[in-house]
Amino acid sequence: MGKRGKLIRIRLSSDALATARFVVSPLMHIRGAMSPYYPRAAEIHETLKRRKLRILSILHGECNGDSLVLPPGVPADSHPDVDTELQQITAAPAAFVSRIVSRIRKNRNAEFHPFAELDEREFAELLASELEQVWNDCLAPHWSAMASQAEADVDHRGRAAARAGLGAVLDTLHPSITYREDTLSVAGGREADVDAVERITLYPTVLNRICRADIEAWRAVGVRLSYPARALHDTDEQVTQALSEVLGHTRLTLLAGLGVPRTTAELADLHHLSRSTVSYHLARLHRAGLATRARSGNSVYYQVSTEGCRLVVPVPRTGTTNDG
């Protein structure tokens, strides 16, 4: 979605700009995996079904993961680990838990509601447990590469902010976002005006190409904006050309498609190449240490390695959404 249509307008105070921070968050990536825009959404659905994760199955199937937000409060670390963030869930205020429960009840008949007997603390602990299982099954094996990609984005944005100011950086995060005259506007499916906030936290994500602005209940503690980490087409054209000359256009294109684990068949379909051609180039990328390889059942999945992330930022699917 471009910079048109309905807008969430968020007025940022000078303190918000001065104290803005970037956070590489495992929990934000779990939420990205729960999004319908995630390219491997079927894998998440299968995990929820196999593990019988009742809360996340409802949120994934009926709420599109929109209720999965971080609890209120300022992250203590710009690179929190997943255990720290899950502890935030279990210790979250009642208002945070009630918001998720209310969202579920809007999508399920209350008299058949499977969580009616749980109090807010028990519900929060069950939610954290389910999130941990999704993390362990689907994201943990790939977190090193994903975190490296997100950190590379933060480094890039930090250098840009040092040269031109954070306002200029905000205006380049995504086509759905503009920053003009102290107002951050995010295009989405709703209209909203948020009074001046004192804090903004920015979360680069690598699993899909959507943006989310977390507002509403968390206005008092600031705004959280998750955005897609910098992609290949955002890199400097001269750098891209140089990489293409070294790696070859086909290998560079394949590497750019490995932001999430993919099989040879999936890459062949994605790039309209024969499987034998893809297999040949993947073997060379793997041998060079630019791609990792892991077997799951009868399938072999490739993904860009930490070293590969330093050369190219993969490009997942596009989309835009906002949560509030």
Side-chain angles (χ1 to χ4, degrees), residues 55-131:
I55 297 176
L56 294 183
S57 291
I58 294 174
L59 293 177
H60 184 256
E62 301 182 15
C63 305
N64 292 334
D66 284 347
S67 291
L68 290 177
V69 297
L70 288 173
V74 181
D77 188 351
S78 60
H79 296 79
D81 59 40
V82 69
D83 290 336
T84 298
E85 292 196 317
L86 291 175
Q87 288 171 10
Q88 284 184 293
I89 295 287
T90 61
F96 170 82
V97 181
S98 295
R99 182 189 183 195
I100 299 178
V101 173
S102 296
R103 186 65 183 269
I104 290 177
R105 284 176 174 162
K106 288 179 181 178
N107 288 272
R108 281 286 172 100
N109 191 325
E111 62 181 348
F112 297 109
H113 193 271
F115 314 113
E117 73 281 4
L118 300 180
D119 62 28
E120 288 162 342
R121 188 57 48 220
E122 291 171 328
F123 181 92
E125 291 174 354
L126 180 57
L127 173 60
S129 174
E130 291 193 4
L131 288 168

Side-chain angles (χ1 to χ4, degrees), residues 150-170:
E151 289 162 3
D153 177 90
V154 172
D155 289 342
H156 168 73
R157 308 288 182 187
R159 289 193 299 270
R163 292 194 303 268
L166 183 65
V169 172
L170 293 174

Side-chain angles (χ1 to χ4, degrees), residues 9-79:
R9 289 170 290 272
I10 306 164
R11 199 157 56 85
L12 300 177
S13 69
S14 57
D15 285 344
L17 290 175
T19 61
R21 63 186 306 181
F22 290 86
V23 175
V24 178
S25 163
L27 188 55
M28 279 295 188
H29 283 79
I30 297 176
R31 187 174 76 165
M34 294 290 295
S35 165
Y37 298 102
Y38 178 43
R40 299 191 63 81
E43 177 184 336
I44 298 297
H45 177 76
E46 180 58 32
T47 297
L48 300 180
K49 181 179 179 181
R50 184 179 71 255
R51 294 285 191 179
K52 298 181 180 179
L53 306 181
R54 300 183 299 167
I55 297 176
L56 294 183
S57 291
I58 294 174
L59 293 177
H60 184 256
E62 301 182 15
C63 305
N64 292 334
D66 284 347
S67 291
L68 290 177
V69 297
L70 288 173
V74 181
D77 188 351
S78 60
H79 296 79

Side-chain angles (χ1 to χ4, degrees), residues 24-26 29 79-80 135 139 142-155 204 206 229 303 306 309:
V24 178
S25 163
H29 283 79
H79 296 79
W135 169 264
L139 274 73
H142 317 293
W143 179 239
S144 177
M146 290 191 291
S148 294
Q149 182 179 333
E151 289 162 3
D153 177 90
V154 172
D155 289 342
V206 303
Q303 187 171 21
T306 301
C309 282

Side-chain angles (χ1 to χ4, degrees), residues 255-277:
L255 198 61
L258 290 177
V260 295
R262 288 193 167 106
T263 65
T264 299
E266 289 172 336
L267 286 165
D269 291 341
L270 180 65
H271 298 295
H272 307 290
L273 297 169
S274 70
R275 294 189 184 185
S276 60
T277 297

